[in-house]
Amino acid sequence: KKVLWQVRQIGPLNKIATGSCAGLTAVAFTYPLDLIRARLAFQVDEGYYRGIAHTTKQIMAEEGGVRGLYRGITPTFLGMIPYAGVSFYTYEMTKGLCLNHLSTFFARPGMDSSLVLSVPGTLLCGAVSGLVAQFVSYPMDVVRRRMQLSGFAHSKITKRSWPQTLVRVYQQDGVARGLYRGLSLNFVRVAPQVAVSFTVYERAKQYLGLTKPP
């Protein structure tokens, strides 16, 4: 983000790019833990995986070493680019709307007398950004989960590439009941999660005096 400000390119595409880069970086470092969590949560044969260390060892032994820990990383990347990008972009857009047109309800004077979002305003902007981003990227989230749960012993899901998995889900269940299965429940989880995340982010910037461009 700091680099984009320095070259004076602050348009919508750069806001999306900034969020996408942040999301991709986080996924690259944390993906194996997400895969392990999925295996532990959805295993059919209880006791096949026993804890984080045992699950890691089993996956590496049976599914090609470290590569097995990154099964499904491609659709995760493809989903994270629009998710993180759209999330940050939508947040900035709704933030501007609240500050410029709804300041009576969702803004307050900051430390330097300029308007900043109030806590309710930040929660609203964060929730809206999370819902929009989740809707855009959800099909890839379904594909990611299918791939994470395929290819290991006792799994009933056939191991396929991400394009094959995407087509298979669409052919079997269509769009609403396939690619967007479980979206409403995910909305219930994502809205407060992203709202709180952006609220902490915004309040930390205000207290540190970082509300202006770097």
Side-chain angles (χ1 to χ4, degrees):
K1 182 177 181 180
K2 186 174 182 179
V3 172
L4 295 176
W5 276 102
Q6 289 175 345
V7 298
R8 298 183 182 278
Q9 296 178 348
I10 322 172
L13 290 179
N14 288 315
K15 291 178 181 177
I16 294 176
T18 301
S20 297
C21 289
L24 292 176
T25 302
V27 166
F29 283 99
T30 62
Y31 187 79
L33 291 175
D34 186 59
L35 174 66
I36 293 168
R37 178 182 65 86
R39 293 289 178 90
L40 288 171
F42 294 99
Q43 63 178 324
V44 176
D45 183 9
E46 294 293 335
Y48 184 77
Y49 291 128
R50 302 186 300 275
I52 296 175
H54 181 260
T55 304
T56 303
K57 181 179 178 181
Q58 287 290 96
I59 292 174
M60 293 183 67
E62 298 174 356
E63 302 178 40
V66 176
R67 183 177 182 181
L69 294 174
Y70 283 88
R71 180 181 302 281
I73 189 70
T74 300
T76 305
F77 274 158
L78 294 176
M80 181 54 67
I81 291 173
Y83 178 83
V86 170
S87 179
F88 273 90
Y89 174 73
T90 304
Y91 176 78
E92 293 294 337
M93 294 299 101
T94 52
K95 176 182 175 181
L97 176 65
C98 287
L99 291 177
N100 295 326
H101 302 288
L102 301 171
S103 58
T104 303
F105 306 101
F106 299 115
R108 62 177 181 80
M111 293 181 180
D112 58 354
S113 299
S114 61
L115 285 179
V116 296
L117 284 177
S118 62
V119 172
T122 311
L123 289 171
L124 174 65
C125 294
V128 170
S129 67
L131 293 176
V132 173
Q134 188 66 56
F135 179 81
V136 171
S137 64
Y138 193 75
M140 281 301 172
D141 193 53
V142 172
V143 173
R144 169 182 65 88
R145 191 65 72 200
R146 287 288 186 96
M147 292 186 69
Q148 286 180 337
L149 300 178
S150 69
F152 68 98
H154 308 291
S155 172
K156 297 181 180 180
I157 302 176
T158 305
K159 185 166 77 173
R160 297 183 174 90
S161 65
W162 74 265
Q164 291 172 332
T165 303
L166 181 66
V167 172
R168 183 70 173 175
V169 172
Y170 174 74
Q171 289 177 338
Q172 285 186 327
D173 301 308
V175 177
R177 296 185 178 181
L179 296 177
Y180 281 93
R181 181 188 297 274
L183 178 63
S184 58
L185 183 60
N186 228 43
F187 275 168
V188 175
R189 177 184 65 87
V190 166
Q193 174 185 320
V194 180
V196 171
S197 177
F198 272 112
T199 299
V200 174
Y201 166 75
E202 195 68 34
R203 297 292 286 185
K205 282 175 58 180
Q206 293 171 13
Y207 282 125
L208 295 173
L210 301 176
T211 54
K212 293 184 177 182

